[in-house]
Amino acid sequence: AEKFREMSVAEFFAKNRELAGFSNPVRALYQTVRELVENSLDATDTHRILSSIYVRIEEAGSGGDKKIYRVTVEDNGIGIPPDHIANAFGRVLYSSKYVIRQTRGMYGLGVKAAILYGQLSAGKPVRVLTSTRGSDYVYYRALYIDTRRNEPRIVEAGQWRKSGSWHGTRVTIELEGDWSRSRSRILEYIKRTAVIAPYAEIFFETPEGVMYYFPRSTTKMPRPPREAKPHPHGIDLEQLKTMIQASGASTLLELLSREFQSVGGTTALRFLREVGLDPGMNPRLLLRKENQRLLVALADGLRSYKGFRAPRSDYLSPIGEDLIRIGLRSMYSPEWVDAVTRTPRAYQGHPFIVEAGIAYGGGIEPREEPLLLRYANKIPLLYEEREDVIYKVVSSINWKIYNVDFPAPLVVLVHIASTKVPYKGVGKESISEVPEIESEVRNAVQEVGRRLKSYLYRKGRQEEARRK
Amino acid sequence: AEKFREMSVAEFFAKNRELAGFSNPVRALYQTVRELVENSLDATDTHRILSSIYVRIEEAGSGGDKKIYRVTVEDNGIGIPPDHIANAFGRVLYSSKYVIRQTRGMYGLGVKAAILYGQLSAGKPVRVLTSTRGSDYVYYRALYIDTRRNEPRIVEAGQWRKSGSWHGTRVTIELEGDWSRSRSRILEYIKRTAVIAPYAEIFFETPEGVMYYFPRSTTKMPRPPREAKPHPHGIDLEQLKTMIQASGASTLLELLSREFQSVGGTTALRFLREVGLDPGMNPRLLLRKENQRLLVALADGLRSYKGFRAPRSDYLSPIGEDLIRIGLRSMYSPEWVDAVTRTPRAYQGHPFIVEAGIAYGGGIEPREEPLLLRYANKIPLLYEEREDVIYKVVSSINWKIYNVDFPAPLVVLVHIASTKVPYKGVGKESISEVPEIESEVRNAVQEVGRRLKSYLYRKGRQEEARRK
Ligand SMILES: Nc1ncnc2c1ncn2[C@@H]1O[C@H](COP(=O)(O)OP(=O)(O)OP(=O)(O)O)[C@@H](O)[C@H]1O
Ligand SMILES: Nc1ncnc2c1ncn2[C@@H]1O[C@H](COP(=O)(O)OP(=O)(O)OP(=O)(O)O)[C@@H](O)[C@H]1O
Ligand SMILES: [Mg+2]
Ligand SMILES: [Mg+2]
C-alpha cells in the first residue's frame, strides 16, 4: 500500500535543495554569499541608506575531504525588529517582501535555504546580530530551523543597550563549501554588484586573508522603489477574493478605486457599466456561492479591460543611463560606451523597465560572441545563461547590421527592473521568455546597437581617410 | 516599517505559478495534461498494471478573450484510499512518493499546481472519482484548495457501491488554456510517452472531437521500480537525526545494518572502528547537544567511506534496449537503429541508469543538428532544452567522428532513470549538470555512436563498391 504523508516546506527545500541553487558545495558557497548580500542591499538602498557591506569567508575546520567555511555578511541597513528575527531566519516563506515593490528578494526563502544547507552539512546554528534605526538595543540570536515544523529553534539569545548609533544586521552561517572552485564566480558576482552600485562600499575578505575593497564613488543614490497597489490586469480570482475580504470598501466602485492602482472613479464607473455590474453593490455579495459567476466576470473583466491606465512605473528604480555608462567604463576601459533606459511597459499587470548598455573596444578582449552581463532587479545573474530570455535575444541579433564582425571586443549589459521578475527558478539565475519582456529587451539592445553602428561607421571612415 | 508575514506553500505556488510550469495559458494547459498523465502512469506501471489511460480536453465556455477547457484524465490504476483523497488533491506537499523509489512524481505538488491554476483562472473545483483494487466502493470528491491554510475545502462528496471490478482514478480540472497553441506540444508529449510505453493504451480526445488512439502493442511490462533504503553516501545531518529518532535500533551497529542499504554487519563494524565510534553505543546518545561533534563525524564518515557497496540498482526500472529500438522504429521508420542500457552508477547516494538510442536515415528528415528526445524517469521532456545536461553532452559531440555530416537524418534518444532525478525546477523540464550523470550520458551516446559509425562505414563501402 502506498505510504501517504505531508512534508513541511522546510523539509521540502532541505530535501530538494538543488531547486534553490544548493546542488553541491561549490554552488552552495556562491549561493550563500548571494542570498546574504542581496538581503543587505535590500535593507539599505531600498531605504535610502548608502550601503556599507562587509563580506568575510573564513575556513572553519575540515573533516576528511569536507571543507567547512564561515560566511559573515554585515550591513548598515534598517535591521530587523526583535519580534521578527526568529521567523525571518527560522521559518521558510516568511518575508517582508511579499508586497508589490521592486526588491531583490521576493520568495521569503533565500536566507533560510542557506541556513538549511549549513545546518545539514556543518551542523552549526546561524548567528544573527541586528539593531533597527532608533532602537536602543542590539539583539543576538543563534538558531536552527526545525524542519519538521518549519519553525525557528532558538539556542542562544541576548540583547544589549546600544552605546553608539549603529544600525544594521550581521549574519554568520557555517557550511560545507569549496572556495577554490567557487572563488572566481563569487568574485565576479561581487564585482558586478559593485559596478552598478557606485553608492555602495563593499569589503570582501577571502579565506586566504585577501581584502578586496570597492570604495563608494558617489553619494548620489537612485530613487528607491516604492510599494504599489495591484493593477487590474494582474488580478486573479484568489487575489480578488482576498482583496474583497480584507477591504473596508462598501461598494464595488469604492473597491476598484481604492484597492487598485490606475483606476480612477470615472474609469471604474465606466468599466462596471461595461461589465454589467452595479457600482453600488456590496463587494462581499460576490463571495457568495450563488454569485460565483459574477465574481468570475469581474475578474475576467479586470484582466482584459483596455481602459485602465498603464501600471505606474515611477515606483520602479532603474540603474540609470549614467550609472550604466560609468560602471561599464570603470570595468572595461572601452573606447566607446553608451546606454539606454527604456520607457516602462507591463506584463500581466506588473510594470517593468529594460535598460541596456554596450561597451566596445579599448581594454575589451575580442571574443567570438558578445560578453553578456545580465541583471534583474540589480542582481547580477551568472548561471543558466542559455535559457535566459536576455541571452536568447542578444544571441539572435545579427551584429553585422551594426558593423560588428566577430571576433569583436563587445560587451552587452541588460537590466530588467520589475515589481515581479519572472525567474525560471527560486535560485534566481535566469528569466523566463515573457513576450512583452522579450520584445522590450530587443528594442533596448537595438537602440544602443544603432548608436554603436554610427560610431563604428564614423571610425571606419576616419581610418580610411587616414590611410589616404 | 517593513510588513512581515508568512505565506502558506499553497499561496506561494499560486503566486509564483510560473515556477511550476504555469506561466501562461499555453503552458498551463500542457502542464495540466502532463501532471495528470504522469500520475496515471505512476498509478499503473509502478504497480504491474497494464496502463489504460484516457485523456480528454473539451471546450468549457469562454469569456471575452479567455478560453476555458475541461481536462479529464482517467486510468485503471491503483486508485486512492478514501482517507487520503482530500489531501492528495487539496494539500500542497502531500504525496505517496516521498519514498526512495523511481517514480515520475517526487514533489507532492504536481496535481495541486494544476488545481490552483484552474481555481484562480476558471473558479471551478477539481472533481475526483476513484476506487482502489479490492474496494467495494467508488468515491467522489469535488474540492477547492484553501490557499491560506493549504487545506482541502470539500464542496461535494459521495460514495457508491461498485457494481463491477473497475479500479482507478478520474480527475477533471477546468482552467484557462489555449488549445490552438498548446496543441502540437501536447500531441508530441503524448506520442513520445506512448513510444516508450508499448504496454500502455492511450486514448486522447481533442476539443475538435478528434480521437487519437495509441494501442497496446505488448503485454510485456518492464520490472516495476522498488522502494530502497537510503545509501550512506546520500545522508545528511537532518536525515541522520530523523533516522535515529525513528529507528528502533539499540546500537550503532544495528542502526547501520538495518536502516541503510549496501551496509552489511561486517562492513558496518569496520566502518565504525575506522571512524572511531563504539558499535554498541545507543544511537540516541548522538542526539544530545554535547555529542554533536560525534554525530557530525558519523554523517561525514558515512558520506565519504569508500568501503560500502554501490547503491542497489536492481530497484530501478529502465525502459530497456528492446523497447527503445521498437519505439524509435515505430516513430521514425529509420534505416538503422540501436540502443544501449548502461550499467548503473550513483551520485550522492542515488543510483541511476542512463540509456541511449540512435536512429538514422529512412523516414527521418535531414537536419542541421541531431533531433534530441530527452526522457527522465520515463517522462518526455519538451521544454528548456538548452540548459539540460543531456543537450549539453549531445551538442558537444563531434559527430564527424562517427561518420555523420550535417545536415543529417539523425535522432538521439537519452533516458535517465533514478531514485532522484536532479531537475532544475519543479516543472520538471530539464536536468542539472551532475558530473556523474554527465559523464555517463556521454559514455552511453558514444557507445551507440560507435555502432552507428560502423554501420555508416560499411554502408559507405557498399556504395563505393556499387559505383564501380
Ligand atoms: N540583512 C538584512 N537586513 C534586514 N532585513 C533582513 C536582512 N536579511 C533578511 N532580512 C529580513 O528577513 C526576511 C527573509 O529573508 P529571505 O532572504 O529569507 O527572504 P526574502 O529576501 O524576503 O526573499 P528571497 O527568498 O527572494 O530572498 C527578509 O524579507 C527581510 O525582511
Ligand atoms: N491518478 C492517480 N492514481 C493514484 N494516485 C494518484 C493519482 N493522482 C494522484 N495520486 C496520488 O496523489 C498524490 C499527489 O499527487 P501530486 O501529483 O500532487 O504529487 P506527486 O505525484 O506525488 O509528485 P509530483 O509533484 O512530482 O507530481 C500522489 O503521490 C498519489 O499518491
Ligand atoms: Mg532574501
Ligand atoms: Mg504527480
Side-chain angles (χ1 to χ4, degrees):
Chain A
E2 293 286 277
K3 299 175 198 155
F4 285 88
R5 75 172 183 97
E6 71 174 313
M7 212 188 255
S8 84
V9 65
E11 287 179 284
F12 180 80
F13 282 111
K15 182 182 186 197
N16 300 300
R17 66 196 84 118
E18 69 281 354
L19 296 176
F22 292 85
S23 28
N24 56 62
V26 178
R27 287 291 295 261
L29 187 58
Y30 171 84
Q31 197 72 16
T32 296
V33 170
R34 266 194 79 170
E35 295 294 353
L36 294 177
V37 168
E38 287 162 26
N39 283 347
S40 290
L41 286 165
D42 276 347
T44 48
D45 69 14
T46 303
H47 304 279
R48 297 189 192 273
I49 297 171
L50 292 166
S51 325
S52 292
I53 304 191
Y54 301 80
V55 181
R56 180 168 66 224
I57 304 177
E58 326 165 70
E59 288 185 10
S62 49
D65 338 309
K66 190 164 126 182
K67 305 186 208 72
I68 305 290
Y69 298 90
R70 183 176 306 114
V71 178
T72 302
V73 175
E74 180 176 333
D75 60 68
N76 62 337
I78 56 166
I80 300 151
D83 293 349
H84 295 288
I85 300 170
N87 281 328
F89 293 92
R91 189 184 294 270
V92 178
L93 302 190
Y94 195 88
S95 168
S96 63
K97 303 168 199 170
Y98 283 152
V99 295
I100 302 173
R101 179 182 54 180
Q102 172 197 327
T103 46
R104 295 163 183 83
M106 62 187 283
Y107 294 128
L109 164 69
V111 74
K112 275 80 78 180
I115 292 165
L116 284 170
Y117 183 84
Q119 194 168 303
L120 52 85
S121 63
K124 294 278 155 58
V126 61
R127 299 177 192 284
V128 181
L129 214 63
T130 190
S131 183
T132 54
R133 286 182 288 196
S135 163
D136 295 329
Y137 288 90
V138 176
Y139 297 89
Y140 168 70
R141 300 284 184 273
L143 59 89
Y144 289 100
I145 297 177
D146 178 333
T147 53
R148 185 77 222 47
R149 295 200 185 90
N150 189 28
E151 277 178 9
R153 183 164 66 83
I154 300 177
V155 292
E156 289 169 39
Q159 64 188 56
W160 306 269
R161 270 195 91 75
K162 209 153 67 175
S163 46
S165 59
W166 178 75
H167 56 81
T169 304
R170 182 196 302 170
V171 181
T172 302
I173 297 177
E174 288 188 36
L175 71 148
E176 179 182 4
D178 190 344
W179 167 247
S180 60
R181 294 169 68 196
S182 309
R183 186 175 182 286
S184 65
R185 293 279 182 138
I186 293 176
L187 267 170
E188 184 70 14
Y189 174 86
I190 295 188
K191 200 162 135 211
R192 287 199 203 177
T193 294
V195 148
I196 57 155
Y199 53 84
E201 69 171 348
I202 304 179
F203 295 82
F204 175 40
E205 188 181 340
T206 74
E208 300 105 346
V210 177
M211 175 72 89
Y212 292 87
Y213 173 49
F214 301 88
R216 177 172 296 132
S217 55
T218 175
T219 56
K220 188 155 155 298
M221 293 189 74
R223 70 177 183 232
R226 297 176 58 188
E227 182 182 342
K229 293 178 189 166
H231 188 275
H233 287 175
I235 203 73
D236 61 58
L237 283 162
E238 289 290 311
Q239 283 177 307
L240 188 56
K241 277 188 221 161
T242 307
M243 179 187 276
I244 290 172
Q245 280 157 350
S247 172
S250 50
T251 68
L252 275 186
L253 182 63
E254 195 181 349
L255 181 86
L256 292 199
S257 36
R258 180 199 290 198
E259 302 296 342
F260 286 96
Q261 57 160 303
S262 309
V263 184
T266 326
T267 315
L269 212 56
R270 206 179 325 126
F271 163 74
L272 287 166
R273 295 231 170 88
E274 193 161 314
V275 87
L277 286 164
D278 171 16
M281 175 187 195
N282 186 329
R284 286 166 188 276
L285 293 174
L286 291 176
L287 299 178
R288 291 188 187 168
K289 200 163 179 293
E290 61 270 27
N291 290 330
Q292 161 93 343
R293 204 173 283 274
L294 295 178
L295 182 74
V296 175
L298 176 59
D300 289 354
L302 287 165
R303 289 233 305 270
S304 54
Y305 186 68
K306 302 283 179 287
F308 299 122
R309 282 195 313 275
R312 291 190 69 146
S313 55
D314 53 341
Y315 284 25
L316 293 178
S317 176
I319 300 168
E321 295 171 1
D322 281 347
L323 289 197
I324 292 177
R325 280 188 288 254
I326 289 168
L328 284 173
R329 265 193 219 109
S330 75
M331 217 175 163
Y332 296 104
S333 309
E335 73 190 56
W336 183 90
V337 76
D338 207 348
V340 69
T341 297
R342 298 277 299 176
T343 55
R345 297 270 179 273
Y347 81 96
Q348 297 174 19
H350 285 283
F352 69 91
I353 289 173
V354 174
E355 307 181 271
I358 294 181
Y360 187 91
I364 301 171
E365 287 296 315
R367 299 160 49 99
E368 287 302 332
E369 45 175 31
L371 173 60
L372 181 59
L373 309 180
R374 298 172 288 137
Y375 288 86
N377 283 5
K378 303 184 182 174
I379 302 171
L381 309 181
L382 268 60
Y383 284 92
E384 307 292 318
E385 189 185 57
R386 294 289 158 106
E387 284 294 342
D388 189 300
V389 64
I390 296 173
Y391 175 84
K392 294 200 165 185
V393 170
V394 172
S395 60
S396 73
I397 287 175
N398 180 6
W399 288 93
K400 276 196 171 34
I401 302 177
Y402 303 107
N403 296 333
V404 177
D405 288 306
F406 290 100
L410 182 70
V411 174
V412 180
L413 182 156
V414 178
H415 175 230
I416 298 170
S418 178
T419 50
K420 183 186 178 189
V421 175
Y423 294 107
K424 286 187 185 282
V426 291
K428 295 185 193 127
E429 281 300 349
S430 65
I431 304 171
S432 312
E433 272 164 275
V434 171
E436 295 88 334
I437 293 181
E438 185 170 344
S439 76
E440 200 45 26
V441 169
R442 189 173 304 277
N443 293 338
V445 177
Q446 286 174 341
E447 186 170 343
V448 195
R450 285 191 288 271
R451 298 177 201 172
L452 172 66
K453 172 180 182 172
S454 315
Y455 166 75
L456 289 176
Y457 175 73
R458 286 197 312 276
K459 179 184 182 191
R461 300 293 305 267
Q462 285 168 11
E463 289 185 353
E464 282 186 36
R466 251 197 307 268
R467 280 200 287 268
K468 290 165 188 165
Chain B
E2 293 287 277
K3 300 176 199 155
F4 286 86
R5 76 173 183 97
E6 69 174 315
M7 213 188 255
S8 83
V9 66
E11 287 179 285
F12 181 80
F13 281 111
K15 181 182 188 197
N16 300 301
R17 67 197 82 117
E18 69 282 353
L19 296 176
F22 291 85
S23 29
N24 57 60
V26 178
R27 286 291 296 261
L29 187 58
Y30 171 84
Q31 197 72 17
T32 297
V33 171
R34 264 196 78 170
E35 295 293 353
L36 294 177
V37 168
E38 286 161 28
N39 282 348
S40 291
L41 286 165
D42 275 348
T44 47
D45 69 16
T46 303
H47 304 278
R48 298 188 191 275
I49 296 172
L50 290 166
S51 324
S52 293
I53 303 191
Y54 301 79
V55 181
R56 180 169 66 224
I57 303 177
E58 325 163 71
E59 287 186 11
S62 50
D65 338 310
K66 190 165 127 182
K67 303 186 208 74
I68 304 291
Y69 298 89
R70 183 176 306 115
V71 178
T72 302
V73 176
E74 181 177 330
D75 60 69
N76 60 338
I78 56 165
I80 300 152
D83 293 349
H84 295 288
I85 300 170
N87 282 329
F89 293 92
R91 189 184 294 268
V92 178
L93 303 191
Y94 194 88
S95 169
S96 63
K97 302 168 200 171
Y98 284 152
V99 294
I100 302 173
R101 179 183 55 179
Q102 173 197 326
T103 46
R104 294 164 184 81
M106 63 187 283
Y107 295 129
L109 164 70
V111 75
K112 275 81 78 181
I115 292 166
L116 284 170
Y117 183 84
Q119 193 168 304
L120 52 84
S121 64
K124 294 278 155 56
V126 61
R127 299 177 193 283
V128 180
L129 213 62
T130 189
S131 182
T132 54
R133 288 183 285 196
S135 163
D136 295 329
Y137 288 90
V138 176
Y139 297 89
Y140 169 70
R141 300 284 184 271
L143 60 89
Y144 289 100
I145 297 176
D146 179 331
T147 53
R148 185 77 222 46
R149 293 199 186 92
N150 188 28
E151 278 176 10
R153 183 164 66 84
I154 301 177
V155 292
E156 289 170 38
Q159 64 188 55
W160 306 270
R161 269 195 91 75
K162 211 153 64 173
S163 46
S165 60
W166 178 77
H167 56 81
T169 303
R170 182 196 303 169
V171 181
T172 301
I173 297 177
E174 287 187 37
L175 71 149
E176 179 181 3
D178 190 343
W179 168 247
S180 61
R181 294 168 69 196
S182 308
R183 185 175 183 286
S184 64
R185 294 278 181 138
I186 292 175
L187 267 170
E188 184 70 14
Y189 174 85
I190 294 188
K191 201 162 134 210
R192 287 199 201 177
T193 294
V195 149
I196 57 156
Y199 53 83
E201 70 171 350
I202 304 178
F203 295 82
F204 175 41
E205 187 182 341
T206 75
E208 299 105 344
V210 177
M211 176 72 90
Y212 292 87
Y213 173 49
F214 301 86
R216 176 172 295 133
S217 54
T218 175
T219 56
K220 186 155 155 296
M221 292 188 74
R223 71 176 182 233
R226 298 177 56 189
E227 182 183 342
K229 292 177 189 166
H231 188 274
H233 287 175
I235 204 72
D236 62 57
L237 282 163
E238 290 290 311
Q239 282 176 306
L240 188 56
K241 277 190 220 160
T242 308
M243 179 186 278
I244 290 171
Q245 281 157 350
S247 173
S250 48
T251 68
L252 276 186
L253 182 63
E254 195 181 349
L255 181 86
L256 294 198
S257 36
R258 180 199 290 199
E259 302 295 342
F260 287 96
Q261 58 160 303
S262 310
V263 185
T266 326
T267 315
L269 213 55
R270 206 179 325 125
F271 162 75
L272 287 166
R273 294 232 171 87
E274 191 161 314
V275 86
L277 285 165
D278 171 17
M281 175 186 195
N282 186 327
R284 286 168 188 275
L285 293 174
L286 290 176
L287 298 178
R288 291 188 189 167
K289 201 163 179 292
E290 61 270 26
N291 290 329
Q292 161 93 345
R293 203 173 282 274
L294 295 178
L295 182 75
V296 175
L298 176 59
D300 289 354
L302 286 166
R303 288 231 308 269
S304 53
Y305 186 68
K306 302 283 180 285
F308 299 122
R309 283 195 312 276
R312 291 190 69 146
S313 56
D314 53 341
Y315 283 25
L316 293 177
S317 176
I319 300 169
E321 296 172 0
D322 281 348
L323 289 197
I324 293 178
R325 281 189 286 256
I326 290 169
L328 285 171
R329 266 192 218 108
S330 75
M331 218 176 162
Y332 296 104
S333 309
E335 74 190 54
W336 182 91
V337 76
D338 207 348
V340 70
T341 297
R342 298 277 299 178
T343 55
R345 297 269 178 275
Y347 82 96
Q348 296 174 17
H350 284 284
F352 68 92
I353 288 173
V354 174
E355 307 182 271
I358 293 181
Y360 186 92
I364 301 171
E365 287 296 313
R367 299 162 48 100
E368 287 303 331
E369 44 176 31
L371 174 61
L372 180 59
L373 308 180
R374 298 172 289 137
Y375 287 86
N377 283 4
K378 303 184 182 175
I379 301 171
L381 309 182
L382 267 60
Y383 284 93
E384 308 291 321
E385 188 184 58
R386 293 290 158 105
E387 283 294 338
D388 189 301
V389 65
I390 296 173
Y391 175 84
K392 293 198 165 186
V393 170
V394 173
S395 61
S396 72
I397 287 175
N398 180 7
W399 288 94
K400 275 198 173 32
I401 303 177
Y402 303 108
N403 296 334
V404 177
D405 288 306
F406 290 100
L410 182 69
V411 175
V412 180
L413 183 156
V414 178
H415 176 231
I416 298 170
S418 178
T419 49
K420 183 184 177 190
V421 174
Y423 294 109
K424 286 186 184 283
V426 291
K428 295 185 193 129
E429 281 298 351
S430 65
I431 304 169
S432 312
E433 273 164 273
V434 171
E436 295 87 335
I437 292 181
E438 185 169 344
S439 75
E440 200 45 25
V441 169
R442 189 174 303 277
N443 294 336
V445 177
Q446 287 174 340
E447 188 172 340
V448 194
R450 284 191 288 271
R451 298 177 201 172
L452 172 66
K453 171 181 186 171
S454 316
Y455 166 74
L456 289 177
Y457 176 72
R458 286 196 313 276
K459 179 184 181 191
R461 297 294 305 266
Q462 285 168 9
E463 290 185 351
E464 280 185 40
R466 250 195 307 267
R467 279 201 287 268
K468 290 163 184 169

